[in-house]
Amino acid sequence: MKGAFIVFEGLDGSGKGTMLTRAADYLFNEYKSFDRLLITREPTYSGTGKQIRKMLQQSDSPMSDAKRLLQLYLDDRKDHLEFLRPLINQNCVILCDRYKYSTLAYQQTQGIPLDSIVKLHEKMLIPDIVFFLDVSPAVALQRIKESRSSTEKFEKEFFFEELRNNYLKLPSVLPNENIKIVDANRSKDEVFEQIKAYLNNFFKTKMAEQ
Ligand code: TYD
């Protein structure tokens, strides 16, 4: 079986990290025909990723540093893909927390034109599946409030409203990409059941094609 590249996307507080680790656990136990399972994220924890995290801490205003952040996310992604590409061509399943869809949604919300962000990603690897965990901004902010004492740069209601709309536009902007919108306002078990069904469908079809 050749590898697979699966991405989890959503607002902060959408539960994508939880769903990614549940998916990893499930795939690791249920599908033993691939050689490796890798969990990774963007921004990464490399040099550029660290620079991004520092910038995110330096300003609390969601609209600031748009162009600089766009460049940093792109540089970080290019380095990340250099690392991932050989694994994709092997028999490795990669689960990634955020990818280009975050840039398409967040930096668009910061004011960068969508078509220019689409162009910058034209030659980049297209995932096999993208799960967009769709939560209402109010639910996302409530979950963030319950899990930590402070909020981060982008975690503001007006920003989240626009961000969610921008995420929801992506399936029609990228009609050839396999973006699944999952209602993530539900319980963790219900959300994961739906993700599991998509994963089973994908892996069973893939294995039948071998
Ligand atoms: P996040 O997933 O919250 O990282 P972690 O949980 O590891 O700290 O990502 C950090 C922030 O960066 C988050 O608010 C979303 C934002 N972001 C963008 O604006 N554009 C991007 O391209 C990516 C990957 C993230």
Side-chain angles (χ1 to χ4, degrees), residues 12 16 41-43 45 52-53 56 69 73 77 97-104 106-107 110 148 152 154-155:
D12 311 72
K16 62 187 170 45
R41 59 150 51 94
E42 292 186 8
Y45 278 90
I52 292 172
R53 287 170 200 284
L56 293 177
L69 280 169
Y73 285 119
R77 185 156 305 128
D97 186 336
R98 296 195 184 281
Y99 183 54
K100 65 174 183 175
Y101 312 90
S102 287
T103 315
L104 291 163
Y106 279 78
Q107 275 58 60
Q110 284 199 294
R148 19 183 173 92
E152 291 167 2
F154 297 124
E155 297 168 354

PDB file of all heavy atoms in Angstrom, residues 12 16 41-43 45 52-53 56 69 73 77 97-104 106-107 110 148 152 154-155, ligand 1:
ATOM      1  N   ASP A  12      -9.411  27.118  16.185  1.00  0.00           N
ATOM      2  CA  ASP A  12      -8.870  26.726  17.483  1.00  0.00           C
ATOM      3  C   ASP A  12     -10.097  26.382  18.334  1.00  0.00           C
ATOM      4  O   ASP A  12     -11.093  27.098  18.291  1.00  0.00           O
ATOM      5  CB  ASP A  12      -8.118  27.905  18.137  1.00  0.00           C
ATOM      6  CG  ASP A  12      -7.120  28.567  17.183  1.00  0.00           C
ATOM      7  OD1 ASP A  12      -7.562  29.265  16.244  1.00  0.00           O
ATOM      8  OD2 ASP A  12      -5.926  28.375  17.361  1.00  0.00           O
ATOM      9  N   LYS A  16      -9.800  19.445  16.728  1.00  0.00           N
ATOM     10  CA  LYS A  16      -9.067  18.707  15.687  1.00  0.00           C
ATOM     11  C   LYS A  16      -7.908  17.890  16.263  1.00  0.00           C
ATOM     12  O   LYS A  16      -7.637  16.794  15.779  1.00  0.00           O
ATOM     13  CB  LYS A  16      -8.601  19.619  14.550  1.00  0.00           C
ATOM     14  CG  LYS A  16      -7.637  20.674  15.006  1.00  0.00           C
ATOM     15  CD  LYS A  16      -7.302  21.664  13.924  1.00  0.00           C
ATOM     16  CE  LYS A  16      -6.530  22.800  14.548  1.00  0.00           C
ATOM     17  NZ  LYS A  16      -5.468  22.450  15.488  1.00  0.00           N
ATOM     18  N   ARG A  41       2.400  18.370  12.645  1.00  0.00           N
ATOM     19  CA  ARG A  41       1.567  19.577  12.708  1.00  0.00           C
ATOM     20  C   ARG A  41       2.235  20.772  12.044  1.00  0.00           C
ATOM     21  O   ARG A  41       3.455  20.812  11.861  1.00  0.00           O
ATOM     22  CB  ARG A  41       1.279  19.929  14.164  1.00  0.00           C
ATOM     23  CG  ARG A  41       2.525  20.188  15.001  1.00  0.00           C
ATOM     24  CD  ARG A  41       2.273  21.185  16.125  1.00  0.00           C
ATOM     25  NE  ARG A  41       1.136  20.864  16.942  1.00  0.00           N
ATOM     26  CZ  ARG A  41       1.175  20.175  18.086  1.00  0.00           C
ATOM     27  NH1 ARG A  41       2.334  19.724  18.540  1.00  0.00           N
ATOM     28  NH2 ARG A  41       0.091  19.948  18.777  1.00  0.00           N
ATOM     29  N   GLU A  42       1.388  21.725  11.686  1.00  0.00           N
ATOM     30  CA  GLU A  42       1.860  23.043  11.250  1.00  0.00           C
ATOM     31  C   GLU A  42       1.138  24.082  12.089  1.00  0.00           C
ATOM     32  O   GLU A  42      -0.058  23.916  12.328  1.00  0.00           O
ATOM     33  CB  GLU A  42       1.554  23.268   9.765  1.00  0.00           C
ATOM     34  CG  GLU A  42       2.372  22.365   8.875  1.00  0.00           C
ATOM     35  CD  GLU A  42       2.197  22.657   7.386  1.00  0.00           C
ATOM     36  OE1 GLU A  42       1.547  23.655   7.039  1.00  0.00           O
ATOM     37  OE2 GLU A  42       2.709  21.873   6.601  1.00  0.00           O
ATOM     38  N   PRO A  43       1.779  25.158  12.528  1.00  0.00           N
ATOM     39  CA  PRO A  43       3.207  25.366  12.376  1.00  0.00           C
ATOM     40  C   PRO A  43       4.000  24.246  13.049  1.00  0.00           C
ATOM     41  O   PRO A  43       3.573  23.702  14.064  1.00  0.00           O
ATOM     42  CB  PRO A  43       3.457  26.723  13.062  1.00  0.00           C
ATOM     43  CG  PRO A  43       2.240  27.031  13.858  1.00  0.00           C
ATOM     44  CD  PRO A  43       1.125  26.254  13.265  1.00  0.00           C
ATOM     45  N   TYR A  45       7.608  22.608  14.780  1.00  0.00           N
ATOM     46  CA  TYR A  45       8.466  23.077  15.889  1.00  0.00           C
ATOM     47  C   TYR A  45       9.894  23.304  15.405  1.00  0.00           C
ATOM     48  O   TYR A  45      10.827  23.283  16.181  1.00  0.00           O
ATOM     49  CB  TYR A  45       8.399  22.098  17.068  1.00  0.00           C
ATOM     50  CG  TYR A  45       7.157  22.362  17.921  1.00  0.00           C
ATOM     51  CD1 TYR A  45       5.955  21.728  17.656  1.00  0.00           C
ATOM     52  CD2 TYR A  45       7.194  23.296  18.959  1.00  0.00           C
ATOM     53  CE1 TYR A  45       4.812  21.991  18.400  1.00  0.00           C
ATOM     54  CE2 TYR A  45       6.055  23.571  19.704  1.00  0.00           C
ATOM     55  CZ  TYR A  45       4.873  22.916  19.424  1.00  0.00           C
ATOM     56  OH  TYR A  45       3.749  23.200  20.158  1.00  0.00           O
ATOM     57  N   ILE A  52       7.206  31.640  14.155  1.00  0.00           N
ATOM     58  CA  ILE A  52       5.760  31.909  14.042  1.00  0.00           C
ATOM     59  C   ILE A  52       5.138  31.975  15.435  1.00  0.00           C
ATOM     60  O   ILE A  52       4.411  32.911  15.767  1.00  0.00           O
ATOM     61  CB  ILE A  52       5.061  30.797  13.209  1.00  0.00           C
ATOM     62  CG1 ILE A  52       5.503  30.861  11.763  1.00  0.00           C
ATOM     63  CG2 ILE A  52       3.543  30.901  13.338  1.00  0.00           C
ATOM     64  CD1 ILE A  52       5.033  29.697  10.895  1.00  0.00           C
ATOM     65  N   ARG A  53       5.431  30.972  16.258  1.00  0.00           N
ATOM     66  CA  ARG A  53       4.820  30.922  17.591  1.00  0.00           C
ATOM     67  C   ARG A  53       5.187  32.170  18.409  1.00  0.00           C
ATOM     68  O   ARG A  53       4.379  32.693  19.161  1.00  0.00           O
ATOM     69  CB  ARG A  53       5.249  29.645  18.324  1.00  0.00           C
ATOM     70  CG  ARG A  53       4.566  28.422  17.748  1.00  0.00           C
ATOM     71  CD  ARG A  53       5.126  27.117  18.278  1.00  0.00           C
ATOM     72  NE  ARG A  53       4.774  26.036  17.373  1.00  0.00           N
ATOM     73  CZ  ARG A  53       3.570  25.478  17.300  1.00  0.00           C
ATOM     74  NH1 ARG A  53       2.630  25.874  18.116  1.00  0.00           N
ATOM     75  NH2 ARG A  53       3.314  24.524  16.426  1.00  0.00           N
ATOM     76  N   LEU A  56       3.131  35.054  17.146  1.00  0.00           N
ATOM     77  CA  LEU A  56       1.735  34.949  17.584  1.00  0.00           C
ATOM     78  C   LEU A  56       1.578  35.444  19.021  1.00  0.00           C
ATOM     79  O   LEU A  56       0.541  35.977  19.394  1.00  0.00           O
ATOM     80  CB  LEU A  56       1.238  33.499  17.472  1.00  0.00           C
ATOM     81  CG  LEU A  56       1.119  32.922  16.052  1.00  0.00           C
ATOM     82  CD1 LEU A  56       0.679  31.469  16.086  1.00  0.00           C
ATOM     83  CD2 LEU A  56       0.155  33.744  15.198  1.00  0.00           C
ATOM     84  N   LEU A  69       3.370  36.893   8.465  1.00  0.00           N
ATOM     85  CA  LEU A  69       2.931  35.545   8.876  1.00  0.00           C
ATOM     86  C   LEU A  69       2.712  34.653   7.662  1.00  0.00           C
ATOM     87  O   LEU A  69       3.107  33.484   7.660  1.00  0.00           O
ATOM     88  CB  LEU A  69       1.652  35.623   9.720  1.00  0.00           C
ATOM     89  CG  LEU A  69       1.864  36.003  11.183  1.00  0.00           C
ATOM     90  CD1 LEU A  69       0.535  36.319  11.864  1.00  0.00           C
ATOM     91  CD2 LEU A  69       2.581  34.882  11.952  1.00  0.00           C
ATOM     92  N   TYR A  73       4.467  31.077   7.337  1.00  0.00           N
ATOM     93  CA  TYR A  73       3.715  29.818   7.218  1.00  0.00           C
ATOM     94  C   TYR A  73       4.125  29.080   5.939  1.00  0.00           C
ATOM     95  O   TYR A  73       4.245  27.854   5.930  1.00  0.00           O
ATOM     96  CB  TYR A  73       2.204  30.069   7.227  1.00  0.00           C
ATOM     97  CG  TYR A  73       1.626  30.410   8.593  1.00  0.00           C
ATOM     98  CD1 TYR A  73       0.990  31.629   8.830  1.00  0.00           C
ATOM     99  CD2 TYR A  73       1.699  29.508   9.656  1.00  0.00           C
ATOM    100  CE1 TYR A  73       0.455  31.946  10.079  1.00  0.00           C
ATOM    101  CE2 TYR A  73       1.161  29.819  10.905  1.00  0.00           C
ATOM    102  CZ  TYR A  73       0.542  31.038  11.109  1.00  0.00           C
ATOM    103  OH  TYR A  73       0.012  31.342  12.347  1.00  0.00           O
ATOM    104  N   ARG A  77       5.941  25.510   5.736  1.00  0.00           N
ATOM    105  CA  ARG A  77       5.274  24.423   4.981  1.00  0.00           C
ATOM    106  C   ARG A  77       6.228  23.817   3.965  1.00  0.00           C
ATOM    107  O   ARG A  77       6.255  22.600   3.784  1.00  0.00           O
ATOM    108  CB  ARG A  77       4.016  25.006   4.303  1.00  0.00           C
ATOM    109  CG  ARG A  77       3.169  23.981   3.581  1.00  0.00           C
ATOM    110  CD  ARG A  77       1.736  24.471   3.460  1.00  0.00           C
ATOM    111  NE  ARG A  77       1.206  24.798   4.776  1.00  0.00           N
ATOM    112  CZ  ARG A  77       0.627  25.961   5.084  1.00  0.00           C
ATOM    113  NH1 ARG A  77       0.463  26.889   4.162  1.00  0.00           N
ATOM    114  NH2 ARG A  77       0.205  26.198   6.325  1.00  0.00           N
ATOM    115  N   ASP A  97      -1.920  17.955  11.642  1.00  0.00           N
ATOM    116  CA  ASP A  97      -2.771  18.941  12.309  1.00  0.00           C
ATOM    117  C   ASP A  97      -2.497  20.296  11.636  1.00  0.00           C
ATOM    118  O   ASP A  97      -1.439  20.884  11.864  1.00  0.00           O
ATOM    119  CB  ASP A  97      -2.391  18.957  13.799  1.00  0.00           C
ATOM    120  CG  ASP A  97      -3.295  19.829  14.639  1.00  0.00           C
ATOM    121  OD1 ASP A  97      -3.923  20.757  14.099  1.00  0.00           O
ATOM    122  OD2 ASP A  97      -3.357  19.585  15.858  1.00  0.00           O
ATOM    123  N   ARG A  98      -3.405  20.728  10.778  1.00  0.00           N
ATOM    124  CA  ARG A  98      -3.325  21.961   9.972  1.00  0.00           C
ATOM    125  C   ARG A  98      -2.376  21.798   8.778  1.00  0.00           C
ATOM    126  O   ARG A  98      -1.344  21.160   8.861  1.00  0.00           O
ATOM    127  CB  ARG A  98      -2.863  23.186  10.771  1.00  0.00           C
ATOM    128  CG  ARG A  98      -3.807  23.597  11.879  1.00  0.00           C
ATOM    129  CD  ARG A  98      -3.468  25.026  12.364  1.00  0.00           C
ATOM    130  NE  ARG A  98      -4.291  25.415  13.498  1.00  0.00           N
ATOM    131  CZ  ARG A  98      -5.551  25.830  13.378  1.00  0.00           C
ATOM    132  NH1 ARG A  98      -6.101  25.913  12.207  1.00  0.00           N
ATOM    133  NH2 ARG A  98      -6.249  26.156  14.457  1.00  0.00           N
ATOM    134  N   TYR A  99      -2.774  22.467   7.698  1.00  0.00           N
ATOM    135  CA  TYR A  99      -1.960  22.490   6.469  1.00  0.00           C
ATOM    136  C   TYR A  99      -2.371  23.744   5.705  1.00  0.00           C
ATOM    137  O   TYR A  99      -2.831  24.727   6.324  1.00  0.00           O
ATOM    138  CB  TYR A  99      -2.212  21.172   5.707  1.00  0.00           C
ATOM    139  CG  TYR A  99      -1.405  20.975   4.452  1.00  0.00           C
ATOM    140  CD1 TYR A  99      -0.009  21.076   4.450  1.00  0.00           C
ATOM    141  CD2 TYR A  99      -2.037  20.678   3.233  1.00  0.00           C
ATOM    142  CE1 TYR A  99       0.720  20.884   3.279  1.00  0.00           C
ATOM    143  CE2 TYR A  99      -1.319  20.478   2.066  1.00  0.00           C
ATOM    144  CZ  TYR A  99       0.052  20.586   2.095  1.00  0.00           C
ATOM    145  OH  TYR A  99       0.755  20.393   0.927  1.00  0.00           O
ATOM    146  N   LYS A 100      -2.292  23.717   4.388  1.00  0.00           N
ATOM    147  CA  LYS A 100      -2.520  24.941   3.602  1.00  0.00           C
ATOM    148  C   LYS A 100      -3.902  25.559   3.816  1.00  0.00           C
ATOM    149  O   LYS A 100      -4.078  26.765   3.637  1.00  0.00           O
ATOM    150  CB  LYS A 100      -2.319  24.665   2.113  1.00  0.00           C
ATOM    151  CG  LYS A 100      -3.313  23.695   1.506  1.00  0.00           C
ATOM    152  CD  LYS A 100      -3.131  23.609  -0.012  1.00  0.00           C
ATOM    153  CE  LYS A 100      -4.172  22.685  -0.614  1.00  0.00           C
ATOM    154  NZ  LYS A 100      -4.133  22.649  -2.080  1.00  0.00           N
ATOM    155  N   TYR A 101      -4.890  24.749   4.214  1.00  0.00           N
ATOM    156  CA  TYR A 101      -6.255  25.264   4.416  1.00  0.00           C
ATOM    157  C   TYR A 101      -6.287  26.287   5.543  1.00  0.00           C
ATOM    158  O   TYR A 101      -7.130  27.180   5.549  1.00  0.00           O
ATOM    159  CB  TYR A 101      -7.233  24.100   4.660  1.00  0.00           C
ATOM    160  CG  TYR A 101      -7.005  23.033   3.611  1.00  0.00           C
ATOM    161  CD1 TYR A 101      -6.093  21.994   3.838  1.00  0.00           C
ATOM    162  CD2 TYR A 101      -7.610  23.133   2.364  1.00  0.00           C
ATOM    163  CE1 TYR A 101      -5.812  21.067   2.848  1.00  0.00           C
ATOM    164  CE2 TYR A 101      -7.329  22.217   1.366  1.00  0.00           C
ATOM    165  CZ  TYR A 101      -6.417  21.184   1.613  1.00  0.00           C
ATOM    166  OH  TYR A 101      -6.120  20.297   0.625  1.00  0.00           O
ATOM    167  N   SER A 102      -5.358  26.140   6.511  1.00  0.00           N
ATOM    168  CA  SER A 102      -5.266  27.146   7.582  1.00  0.00           C
ATOM    169  C   SER A 102      -4.828  28.485   6.998  1.00  0.00           C
ATOM    170  O   SER A 102      -5.365  29.535   7.356  1.00  0.00           O
ATOM    171  CB  SER A 102      -4.269  26.711   8.664  1.00  0.00           C
ATOM    172  OG  SER A 102      -4.811  25.670   9.438  1.00  0.00           O
ATOM    173  N   THR A 103      -3.844  28.446   6.102  1.00  0.00           N
ATOM    174  CA  THR A 103      -3.392  29.702   5.491  1.00  0.00           C
ATOM    175  C   THR A 103      -4.513  30.297   4.634  1.00  0.00           C
ATOM    176  O   THR A 103      -4.766  31.498   4.662  1.00  0.00           O
ATOM    177  CB  THR A 103      -2.144  29.458   4.619  1.00  0.00           C
ATOM    178  OG1 THR A 103      -1.241  28.627   5.350  1.00  0.00           O
ATOM    179  CG2 THR A 103      -1.455  30.751   4.257  1.00  0.00           C
ATOM    180  N   LEU A 104      -5.185  29.414   3.857  1.00  0.00           N
ATOM    181  CA  LEU A 104      -6.269  29.895   2.995  1.00  0.00           C
ATOM    182  C   LEU A 104      -7.373  30.554   3.821  1.00  0.00           C
ATOM    183  O   LEU A 104      -7.981  31.527   3.388  1.00  0.00           O
ATOM    184  CB  LEU A 104      -6.845  28.723   2.182  1.00  0.00           C
ATOM    185  CG  LEU A 104      -5.899  28.168   1.104  1.00  0.00           C
ATOM    186  CD1 LEU A 104      -6.341  26.789   0.651  1.00  0.00           C
ATOM    187  CD2 LEU A 104      -5.836  29.113  -0.090  1.00  0.00           C
ATOM    188  N   TYR A 106      -7.170  31.459   7.527  1.00  0.00           N
ATOM    189  CA  TYR A 106      -6.732  32.466   8.515  1.00  0.00           C
ATOM    190  C   TYR A 106      -6.149  33.715   7.835  1.00  0.00           C
ATOM    191  O   TYR A 106      -6.499  34.841   8.187  1.00  0.00           O
ATOM    192  CB  TYR A 106      -5.683  31.884   9.471  1.00  0.00           C
ATOM    193  CG  TYR A 106      -6.247  31.058  10.603  1.00  0.00           C
ATOM    194  CD1 TYR A 106      -6.678  29.745  10.387  1.00  0.00           C
ATOM    195  CD2 TYR A 106      -6.334  31.569  11.898  1.00  0.00           C
ATOM    196  CE1 TYR A 106      -7.175  28.965  11.423  1.00  0.00           C
ATOM    197  CE2 TYR A 106      -6.836  30.806  12.947  1.00  0.00           C
ATOM    198  CZ  TYR A 106      -7.256  29.506  12.706  1.00  0.00           C
ATOM    199  OH  TYR A 106      -7.751  28.746  13.743  1.00  0.00           O
ATOM    200  N   GLN A 107      -5.216  33.512   6.888  1.00  0.00           N
ATOM    201  CA  GLN A 107      -4.579  34.699   6.310  1.00  0.00           C
ATOM    202  C   GLN A 107      -5.541  35.443   5.380  1.00  0.00           C
ATOM    203  O   GLN A 107      -5.439  36.652   5.214  1.00  0.00           O
ATOM    204  CB  GLN A 107      -3.263  34.313   5.621  1.00  0.00           C
ATOM    205  CG  GLN A 107      -2.076  34.255   6.590  1.00  0.00           C
ATOM    206  CD  GLN A 107      -2.243  33.279   7.749  1.00  0.00           C
ATOM    207  OE1 GLN A 107      -2.406  32.086   7.541  1.00  0.00           O
ATOM    208  NE2 GLN A 107      -2.241  33.801   8.985  1.00  0.00           N
ATOM    209  N   GLN A 110      -7.267  37.566   7.617  1.00  0.00           N
ATOM    210  CA  GLN A 110      -6.394  38.701   7.974  1.00  0.00           C
ATOM    211  C   GLN A 110      -6.330  39.752   6.861  1.00  0.00           C
ATOM    212  O   GLN A 110      -5.652  40.754   7.017  1.00  0.00           O
ATOM    213  CB  GLN A 110      -4.979  38.193   8.248  1.00  0.00           C
ATOM    214  CG  GLN A 110      -4.793  37.491   9.588  1.00  0.00           C
ATOM    215  CD  GLN A 110      -3.324  37.456   9.951  1.00  0.00           C
ATOM    216  OE1 GLN A 110      -2.515  36.809   9.289  1.00  0.00           O
ATOM    217  NE2 GLN A 110      -2.959  38.187  11.003  1.00  0.00           N
ATOM    218  N   ARG A 148      -8.181  26.749  28.932  1.00  0.00           N
ATOM    219  CA  ARG A 148      -7.037  27.557  29.370  1.00  0.00           C
ATOM    220  C   ARG A 148      -7.479  28.925  29.910  1.00  0.00           C
ATOM    221  O   ARG A 148      -8.611  29.338  29.704  1.00  0.00           O
ATOM    222  CB  ARG A 148      -5.988  27.767  28.286  1.00  0.00           C
ATOM    223  CG  ARG A 148      -6.365  27.560  26.884  1.00  0.00           C
ATOM    224  CD  ARG A 148      -5.143  27.755  25.989  1.00  0.00           C
ATOM    225  NE  ARG A 148      -5.462  27.385  24.640  1.00  0.00           N
ATOM    226  CZ  ARG A 148      -5.899  28.243  23.732  1.00  0.00           C
ATOM    227  NH1 ARG A 148      -6.005  29.524  24.030  1.00  0.00           N
ATOM    228  NH2 ARG A 148      -6.197  27.844  22.518  1.00  0.00           N
ATOM    229  N   GLU A 152      -5.537  33.401  22.586  1.00  0.00           N
ATOM    230  CA  GLU A 152      -4.425  33.766  21.710  1.00  0.00           C
ATOM    231  C   GLU A 152      -4.886  34.723  20.613  1.00  0.00           C
ATOM    232  O   GLU A 152      -6.083  34.969  20.451  1.00  0.00           O
ATOM    233  CB  GLU A 152      -3.813  32.488  21.110  1.00  0.00           C
ATOM    234  CG  GLU A 152      -3.111  31.676  22.179  1.00  0.00           C
ATOM    235  CD  GLU A 152      -2.745  30.254  21.747  1.00  0.00           C
ATOM    236  OE1 GLU A 152      -3.002  29.899  20.581  1.00  0.00           O
ATOM    237  OE2 GLU A 152      -2.215  29.524  22.596  1.00  0.00           O
ATOM    238  N   PHE A 154      -5.664  34.961  17.421  1.00  0.00           N
ATOM    239  CA  PHE A 154      -6.804  34.871  16.506  1.00  0.00           C
ATOM    240  C   PHE A 154      -8.125  34.536  17.207  1.00  0.00           C
ATOM    241  O   PHE A 154      -9.164  34.457  16.562  1.00  0.00           O
ATOM    242  CB  PHE A 154      -6.523  33.816  15.425  1.00  0.00           C
ATOM    243  CG  PHE A 154      -5.351  34.150  14.536  1.00  0.00           C
ATOM    244  CD1 PHE A 154      -4.281  33.268  14.389  1.00  0.00           C
ATOM    245  CD2 PHE A 154      -5.315  35.357  13.839  1.00  0.00           C
ATOM    246  CE1 PHE A 154      -3.207  33.576  13.569  1.00  0.00           C
ATOM    247  CE2 PHE A 154      -4.239  35.678  13.016  1.00  0.00           C
ATOM    248  CZ  PHE A 154      -3.174  34.787  12.875  1.00  0.00           C
ATOM    249  N   GLU A 155      -8.063  34.303  18.501  1.00  0.00           N
ATOM    250  CA  GLU A 155      -9.234  33.768  19.201  1.00  0.00           C
ATOM    251  C   GLU A 155     -10.213  34.865  19.656  1.00  0.00           C
ATOM    252  O   GLU A 155     -10.418  35.085  20.844  1.00  0.00           O
ATOM    253  CB  GLU A 155      -8.763  32.879  20.362  1.00  0.00           C
ATOM    254  CG  GLU A 155      -7.975  31.683  19.830  1.00  0.00           C
ATOM    255  CD  GLU A 155      -7.212  30.880  20.869  1.00  0.00           C
ATOM    256  OE1 GLU A 155      -7.170  31.294  22.050  1.00  0.00           O
ATOM    257  OE2 GLU A 155      -6.639  29.852  20.494  1.00  0.00           O
TER     258      GLU A 155
HETATM  259  P1  TYD B   1      -2.199  25.900  16.420  1.00  0.00           P
HETATM  260  O1  TYD B   1      -2.809  24.795  15.636  1.00  0.00           O
HETATM  261  O2  TYD B   1      -3.024  26.557  17.462  1.00  0.00           O
HETATM  262  O3  TYD B   1      -0.834  25.425  17.012  1.00  0.00           O
HETATM  263  P2  TYD B   1      -0.554  24.823  18.466  1.00  0.00           P
HETATM  264  O4  TYD B   1      -1.829  24.248  18.985  1.00  0.00           O
HETATM  265  O5  TYD B   1       0.502  23.810  18.180  1.00  0.00           O
HETATM  266  O6  TYD B   1      -0.045  26.012  19.229  1.00  0.00           O
HETATM  267  O7  TYD B   1      -1.673  26.991  15.372  1.00  0.00           O
HETATM  268  C1  TYD B   1      -1.218  28.229  15.805  1.00  0.00           C
HETATM  269  C2  TYD B   1      -2.041  29.337  15.170  1.00  0.00           C
HETATM  270  O8  TYD B   1      -1.584  29.588  13.837  1.00  0.00           O
HETATM  271  C3  TYD B   1      -3.524  29.051  15.088  1.00  0.00           C
HETATM  272  O9  TYD B   1      -4.236  30.128  15.665  1.00  0.00           O
HETATM  273  C4  TYD B   1      -3.807  29.001  13.611  1.00  0.00           C
HETATM  274  C5  TYD B   1      -2.702  29.798  13.001  1.00  0.00           C
HETATM  275  N1  TYD B   1      -2.320  29.416  11.615  1.00  0.00           N
HETATM  276  C6  TYD B   1      -2.468  30.337  10.593  1.00  0.00           C
HETATM  277  O10 TYD B   1      -2.950  31.464  10.814  1.00  0.00           O
HETATM  278  N2  TYD B   1      -2.059  30.001   9.330  1.00  0.00           N
HETATM  279  C7  TYD B   1      -1.503  28.791   9.044  1.00  0.00           C
HETATM  280  O11 TYD B   1      -1.135  28.522   7.877  1.00  0.00           O
HETATM  281  C8  TYD B   1      -1.365  27.829  10.118  1.00  0.00           C
HETATM  282  C9  TYD B   1      -0.736  26.501   9.851  1.00  0.00           C
HETATM  283  C10 TYD B   1      -1.785  28.199  11.392  1.00  0.00           C
END
